[in-house]
Amino acid sequence: MIMRWHDLLFLHWPVPPELLRPLIPKGLELDIFDGYAWIGIVPFRMTHVRPRYFPPFAGWAFPEMNVRTYVWSPGRSGVWFFSLDATSWVAVRAARAWYSLPYYDARITVQSQRETVHYRSHRVDRKSTGAEFHASYKPTGAVYRSAPETLDRWLTDRYCLYAVDRQGRLGYGDIHHPPWPLQPAEVELRVNTMTQPLGIKLPELTPVAHFARRLDVIAWNVEPLTSTAA
């Protein structure tokens, strides 16, 4: 699949690893930075979402938000999604079937006013309890590339996702995109219950926040995970 991401906000909170380990499937290990696992909440918009060789006018456009953490298997570090909320009925069901990802139906509105993005999401899927997110955010500095061995790089540069199919088989999907054009972000977070369905309460800390205006992305199919490193 090929797609374009817009007005993306990374929000990250450190949490004790023992809170997340029971939620990670066998075959994966939690990725840890400075003794903590991290939960990310990432709202954004997608456009031009389509199979790679389809023309741009055939693509979908819709807002999405994911709740995630970071994991690894031998040779690969990547993203484990707890949930992905989207407004596209077709995209939700296609991603469930094709990628075995936990997508949910949601009502999402995104409005931009100058530099500020106003984002509001309410999960309405019958397969999950409700979850809400309501925030305004904007970039507050110049674009930069994260440096190696920094938390900025560790939280954002992930080129693999993991999923478990209906038969319980663990797989991975490679992702390709240029380095993130990150900016520091200012956030007014009004409502956030996105981790309540997981039974996790986020720490009462100011989250680490990053903004990215646009990124072009290619995602490959999910392949069975073997013990052989990529």
Side-chain angles (χ1 to χ4, degrees):
M1 299 290 290
I2 189 169
M3 63 200 80
R4 181 171 293 163
W5 298 342
H6 304 265
D7 297 336
L8 183 143
L9 175 69
F10 286 108
L11 291 177
H12 284 102
W13 289 263
V15 296
E18 56 269 21
L19 291 182
L20 297 188
R21 282 200 179 99
L23 305 177
I24 304 303
K26 184 179 180 180
L28 295 178
E29 298 291 338
L30 270 176
D31 216 346
I32 306 296
F33 191 96
D34 283 347
Y36 287 97
W38 290 73
I39 285 185
I41 295 179
V42 184
F44 61 107
R45 294 185 299 112
M46 293 206 291
T47 62
H48 299 86
V49 182
R50 65 194 190 277
R52 187 176 182 185
Y53 296 107
F54 278 39
F57 65 80
W60 299 315
F62 52 89
E64 180 177 313
M65 180 168 55
N66 61 66
V67 180
R68 60 205 278 176
T69 193
Y70 305 105
V71 294
W72 62 271
S73 65
R76 301 179 182 92
S77 65
V79 178
W80 177 257
F81 291 107
F82 295 119
S83 64
L84 304 99
D85 290 25
T87 59
S88 171
W89 188 94
V90 174
V92 166
R93 280 140 190 88
R96 285 176 182 171
W98 193 260
Y99 285 98
S100 299
L101 291 172
Y103 266 83
Y104 297 104
D105 294 312
R107 290 195 295 264
I108 303 174
T109 59
V110 185
Q111 297 177 328
S112 296
Q113 186 177 15
R114 295 183 179 178
E115 287 288 297
T116 302
V117 179
H118 304 284
Y119 196 105
R120 186 164 194 159
S121 176
H122 179 207
R123 186 180 299 168
V124 295
D125 200 296
R126 295 180 180 180
K127 293 180 178 289
S128 172
T129 57
E132 293 188 66
F133 180 88
H134 185 192
S136 298
Y137 55 92
K138 64 180 180 181
T140 58
V143 174
Y144 69 96
R145 307 294 187 189
S146 60
E149 308 301 325
T150 63
L151 180 61
D152 289 358
R153 173 72 61 88
W154 189 90
L155 290 172
T156 59
D157 271 23
R158 301 283 173 163
Y159 296 94
C160 170
L161 63 85
Y162 290 96
V164 174
D165 67 16
R166 294 179 181 178
Q167 288 71 45
R169 296 172 299 191
L170 182 63
Y172 73 97
D174 286 325
I175 301 169
H176 174 75
H177 57 73
W180 281 99
L182 296 177
Q183 295 175 261
E186 178 182 297
V187 183
E188 181 184 349
L189 185 55
R190 290 181 283 274
V191 178
N192 179 23
T193 63
M194 297 307 299
T195 61
Q196 285 188 7
L198 304 173
I200 292 177
K201 182 179 180 181
L202 293 173
E204 295 182 2
L205 300 171
T206 300
V208 178
H210 300 90
F211 179 87
R213 181 65 70 188
R214 169 182 158 176
L215 195 70
D216 292 316
V217 180
I218 296 173
W220 274 264
N221 291 336
V222 173
E223 302 288 345
L225 184 67
T226 67
S227 59
T228 304

